[in-house]
Amino acid sequence: MSELRDLYQQVILDHNRSPRNCYVMDCANRCADGHNPLCGDTVKVYLRIDDGRIAEISFQGSGCAICTASTSLMTESVKGKTVAETTELFRGFHDMLTGVAVEQGLDLGKLMVFEGVREYPVRVKCATLAWHTLKAAMDKADQAVSTE
């Protein structure tokens, strides 16, 4: 189990140091802002949705390692998925972190690196901020997302 935790930590550190899809998207047709006042994390998610599918996704922001890595992995996980598939993935990720549904039959792939975060309830908000912000962008919500 220690080796698995070490691998998970390495993936999180890698995505924190070199976040993927971290840029301002000029061709976005949806975006949303998110803020975690407890930790100081901020994120803006940019989407280009074509025919109900996430054709492109990016983000800008600053935050702790968990927030940055979660946002980076999120962008990799949802690119090319439909809005419905992304919503299902959001629910599965959220349920994994809150312990609501340990076994749900959803393949979370690399996102499983955040499974241990649920042991630290304060950090769950760091890991889910980008996901709530993504959901707001998909729903065309006008208000900024906050974890409080």
Side-chain angles (χ1 to χ4, degrees):
M1 188 62 151
S2 177
E3 289 178 23
L4 187 59
R5 278 193 188 255
D6 289 346
L7 174 63
Y8 283 4
Q9 287 177 347
Q10 288 174 8
V11 171
I12 290 170
L13 290 174
D14 178 49
H15 277 268
N16 178 54
R17 287 186 198 118
S18 301
R20 282 49 154 200
N21 303 303
C22 186
Y23 60 92
V24 175
M25 185 193 314
D26 294 329
C27 63
N29 55 18
R30 301 199 191 160
C31 65
D33 293 298
H35 179 64
N36 177 358
L38 187 64
C39 193
D41 302 325
T42 61
V43 66
K44 183 168 191 149
V45 173
Y46 301 90
L47 295 174
R48 184 170 52 85
I49 297 179
D50 294 332
D51 296 324
R53 189 169 297 278
I54 298 175
E56 190 173 354
I57 180 169
S58 69
F59 76 98
Q60 284 280 273
S62 62
C64 67
I66 296 292
C67 180
T68 301
S70 179
T71 308
S72 177
L73 278 160
M74 175 194 75
T75 64
E76 288 189 329
S77 298
V78 304
K79 189 173 185 176
K81 289 195 177 354
T82 65
V83 170
E85 290 168 334
T86 301
T87 299
E88 184 179 335
L89 190 59
F90 164 79
R91 286 186 189 124
F93 184 75
H94 190 268
D95 288 350
M96 175 188 68
L97 286 176
T98 58
V100 173
V102 176
E103 291 297 324
Q104 53 202 314
L106 186 61
D107 180 16
L108 295 176
K110 284 185 179 180
L111 297 173
M112 291 301 294
V113 300
F114 295 99
E115 185 177 32
V117 171
R118 79 169 162 245
E119 296 173 24
Y120 308 94
V122 171
R123 307 304 277 168
V124 169
K125 291 180 179 184
C126 302
T128 59
L129 175 64
W131 289 86
H132 287 287
T133 308
L134 167 64
K135 179 105 172 64
M138 290 190 308
D139 294 343
K140 296 183 180 178
D142 293 333
Q143 294 182 329
V145 174
S146 176
T147 57
E148 295 306 310

